[in-house]
Amino acid sequence: MKRFNCFNLRSFGFVVAGFDIIVAVGTLALCSYHLWTDIVHVSYWPQDDVKILSPLGNLITTLVDYVLVHNFSDAFYMVLAVTVWIKSLINLVVASILMDGIRKQRLVCIAPWLINTSISIGIEIAVFIFMEIKMNEFEEEIALDRRIVHSVIFGVFMVFNALSVFGIYSLYKMLKDTANENRTLQESIVEAAGLYQHVKV
């Protein structure tokens, strides 16, 4: 029964890690395409007379100019895409480390996924509360069914994240207990071997 439970938890961990990797790779691909098209269209944005010799500096000054002075929406989606791209890259790295940690039973490789997911859940809850506050300010303009759908999707997503964190944490505890048992068993074997050698002499 213990081995069966171990197999289930390990399989669950591999499924969660694999799902995170697939989602991260897909998001990276979409964000990269979106950013590439945005960077291509940056040259068509109105720019000041002052030219920066560095292409990167010119891009940054154009973005800052649009964020602070001109039309915010164009630059906002680019900044949002960069943020999502960085977050997806972190998720990809952490999920890969998680899969390697489960395969090699390394506890230090499982902890980053737990920390990253816990922080993400906290940020998502904060964003949801902020959006609900904003929706309350425009309650007459936002349909009730739209708010219900938004809340249901958020609730399902939170339940999935909570189950994933609970499952990976249970796997972490199980591997830690197994490592402690193996360490105790090895110490007992070494101690017994030393006693046997002493008696033999």
Side-chain angles (χ1 to χ4, degrees):
M1 187 66 182
K2 183 177 180 181
R3 291 182 180 180
F4 183 72
N5 290 334
C6 175
F7 176 78
N8 282 338
L9 285 175
R10 286 172 61 87
S11 299
F12 178 79
F14 281 123
V15 169
V16 171
F19 179 77
D20 283 353
I21 290 174
I22 293 174
V23 172
V25 170
T27 306
L28 282 172
L30 291 175
C31 289
S32 298
Y33 174 76
H34 182 71
L35 286 171
W36 173 253
T37 56
D38 281 348
I39 291 174
V40 170
H41 288 88
V42 164
S43 59
Y44 297 101
W45 292 4
Q47 301 181 14
D48 296 334
D49 295 333
V50 179
K51 297 296 183 181
I52 308 299
L53 297 179
S54 171
L56 179 61
N58 191 23
L59 174 63
I60 294 175
T61 54
T62 303
L63 288 176
V64 172
D65 181 63
Y66 257 66
V67 170
L68 299 179
V69 182
H70 295 94
N71 186 13
F72 178 76
S73 60
D74 294 334
F76 171 77
Y77 288 110
M78 180 179 286
V79 173
L80 180 63
V82 170
T83 304
V84 174
W85 190 90
I86 294 174
K87 183 66 174 65
S88 299
L89 181 62
I90 294 174
N91 290 343
L92 176 62
V93 173
V94 170
S96 302
I97 293 174
L98 171 64
M99 184 170 288
D100 183 69
I102 295 174
R103 185 171 58 87
K104 297 181 180 179
Q105 297 186 0
R106 294 179 178 176
L107 298 177
V108 69
C109 295
I110 300 177
W113 187 92
L114 291 172
I115 296 172
N116 179 65
T117 306
S118 300
I119 294 175
S120 299
I121 291 175
I123 294 174
E124 289 159 7
I125 292 174
V127 170
F128 176 77
I129 294 174
F130 176 77
M131 291 182 65
E132 285 295 319
I133 294 174
K134 286 297 182 181
M135 287 181 179
N136 289 331
E137 296 178 0
F138 305 96
E139 188 173 358
E140 297 179 356
E141 301 178 6
I142 300 176
L144 180 60
D145 56 349
R146 184 178 176 184
R147 297 188 64 175
I148 292 175
V149 171
H150 177 255
S151 300
V152 169
I153 294 175
F154 175 78
V156 171
F157 192 70
M158 283 295 102
V159 169
F160 174 76
N161 278 340
L163 290 175
S164 300
V165 170
F166 179 76
I168 299 300
Y169 180 73
S170 299
L171 176 62
Y172 177 85
K173 292 289 291 181
M174 185 195 67
L175 293 178
K176 185 176 181 181
D177 293 339
T178 302
N180 291 335
E181 291 177 0
N182 292 338
R183 187 181 301 109
T184 302
L185 181 61
Q186 290 177 357
E187 291 176 354
S188 300
I189 293 174
V190 171
E191 184 178 357
L195 291 175
Y196 176 76
Q197 184 178 7
H198 178 71
V199 171
K200 185 177 180 180
V201 173

